[in-house]
Amino acid sequence: MALKLETVKLLVADDVGIGKTIEAGLIARELLDRGEVKRIAVLCPPHLCDQWQQELSEKFHIDAVVVRSGTASKLERNIPNNDSVFSYYRHLIVSLDYAKAERRRASFITHCPDLVIVDEAHTCARPNKTTTSQQQRHQLITEIAQKQEQHLLLLTATPHSGIEESFLSLLGLLKPEFEHFNLNSLTDKQRDHLANHFVQRRRADVKLWLGNETPFPERESSEESYNLSKEYKELFDEVYNFARGLVKTTTADMSHAQRRGRYWSALALIRCVMSSPAAAIATLNRQVSKSVERLLADLDEDLMSSYVHDPTEQEQAVDASPTLVIEQGQQSYKDADKRKLKAFVQAAEKLQGGKDQKLQSCIATVESFLKDQMNPIVWCRYIATANYVADALRQKLEKKGSQIRVIAITGELSEDERETRLEELKSYPQRVL
């Protein structure tokens, strides 16, 4: 399908697990072998860069360098004559957030390789509200797409977020006229034209393909409920009422940043307290830093959101405790409010362990999975919660003579440390991540 196009402009919106990365690699390899492109670049979220590098190298013999904040300086030191990192290396895997920055976008566009693959392309749709980060991503891909001979592959399993304008903005990156289509009343000609540039298949569509059956795993979803202990319920009620008060008691003499700071602070309070007592302690135990007073004049909504809000179109959340968000709100706190925060910390400290029914329910669920010879993965919103849960599971499961290993992998570890821990974990017959 892609190779029938004179210039490849394609949105691949196949379901998760069907193989969008493999499809993109096949197209890239074929275009390179035909001599139709000389260089390729993959633009993706930073946490996918290494995975792309490994896939391209092992499956398609395409050796690409990873360009992101943590690697750029080292790569630039190997470049003679002050050339751009985007022009010196033949094949690139670039963090979207690195390339979209104002000081780098023009350089990337100037030295843009012939073929650009955009992974998680839904994060580059035009946002329906003021979201600076996503606007910058959309602007970057728009400028790339405007090049007449530019080959462009957009990959996403979630092209439509429910907002039609955002979806049309993605289609518009392929052909400008697509953005103005009325999807509810496409003509046959429009439908055929769009079908040349857009493919979307579900697992059911390819389960039986060319006489072979692909055994996709069946997802079994269930919810395990738990009741808050009396003490935890009391803390939640107090925190919830306090958070409501923060939002309701804004005054006219507060700046816009102060009012928004209180709003984000209220959300952060509820999220960290309900994540775990450990997350509450880690978040609320910090005093207001002087640097926050300088930040407050120009509140970064995207940064605040990344700590406490997880919309599907957001590229990456922050797993550190939302201390910074609380600090933003604390600038307008009264002394009585600050004393309440200290009281919340003291209450949270008493809840760790036996009075944390969510933790106890988690331990019981993990034990049942282990009895069924499964190796559970426990996802936690914040680093403090992950370490807290891992410690509790270790105490319960890693007894003398046990073959069970429990480890936590979080954003506080370097990539090398994460890989080392994962390799160690694989050596145990039963394991919990």
Side-chain angles (χ1 to χ4, degrees), residues 23 41 88 131 166 180 201 241 308 316 373 394 419:
E23 292 164 353
Y88 181 75
T131 308
S166 294
H180 306 292
R201 295 169 298 178
N241 291 330
V308 296
Q316 191 177 23
Q373 302 304 306
R394 280 192 206 100
E419 289 298 323

Side-chain angles (χ1 to χ4, degrees), residues 78-133:
N78 297 327
I79 301 174
N81 304 324
N82 294 320
D83 284 348
S84 167
V85 69
F86 300 129
S87 64
Y88 181 75
Y89 296 97
R90 185 182 178 193
H91 303 310
L92 307 167
I93 298 165
V94 188
S95 160
L96 264 167
D97 283 345
Y98 184 82
K100 80 176 186 338
E102 291 287 345
R103 63 183 182 277
R104 304 187 192 102
R105 188 175 70 240
S107 177
F108 182 83
I109 292 167
T110 300
H111 305 293
C112 188
D114 317 70
L115 170 63
V116 172
I117 301 168
V118 183
D119 197 8
E120 304 292 342
H122 58 277
T123 67
C124 302
R126 184 188 300 113
N128 68 320
K129 57 184 179 179
T130 304
T131 308
T132 304
S133 184

Side-chain angles (χ1 to χ4, degrees), residues 394-404:
R394 280 192 206 100
Q395 291 176 24
K396 183 72 174 179
L397 302 173
E398 290 189 4
K399 296 177 180 176
K400 190 173 182 180
S402 170
Q403 294 297 304
I404 300 171

Side-chain angles (χ1 to χ4, degrees), residues 169-235:
S169 75
L170 268 186
L171 296 181
L173 296 172
L174 307 172
K175 291 279 185 178
E177 60 264 33
F178 290 170
E179 189 166 354
H180 306 292
F181 280 3
N182 183 340
L183 298 177
N184 294 318
S185 57
L186 290 174
T187 65
D188 290 341
K189 184 178 179 180
Q190 288 175 329
R191 193 179 299 276
D192 290 343
H193 193 191
L194 182 58
N196 289 326
H197 298 271
F198 175 43
V199 58
Q200 183 175 32
R201 295 169 298 178
R202 302 300 182 194
R203 291 186 177 189
D205 299 328
V206 297
K207 188 171 184 178
L208 291 172
W209 187 258
L210 299 177
N212 295 317
E213 182 175 355
T214 302
F216 289 111
E218 295 292 331
R219 181 182 180 189
E220 298 178 12
S221 178
S222 66
E223 293 186 1
E224 298 291 333
S225 60
Y226 65 94
N227 294 317
L228 290 173
S229 64
K230 176 177 174 290
E231 295 84 354
Y232 215 135
K233 178 68 164 56
E234 289 173 354
L235 174 61

Side-chain angles (χ1 to χ4, degrees), residues 353-372:
K355 293 181 180 178
D356 181 359
Q357 292 303 312
K358 182 165 70 167
L359 174 67
Q360 298 307 317
S361 178
C362 175
I363 292 172
T365 302
V366 167
E367 285 184 310
S368 70
F369 284 141
L370 289 169
K371 285 179 182 176
D372 291 336

Side-chain angles (χ1 to χ4, degrees), residues 295 299-308 318 324-325 328:
L295 287 172
L299 186 107
D300 187 335
E301 296 274 351
D302 285 340
L303 180 60
M304 299 296 101
S305 175
S306 68
Y307 280 94
V308 296
V318 176
L324 177 64
V325 187
Q328 291 282 18

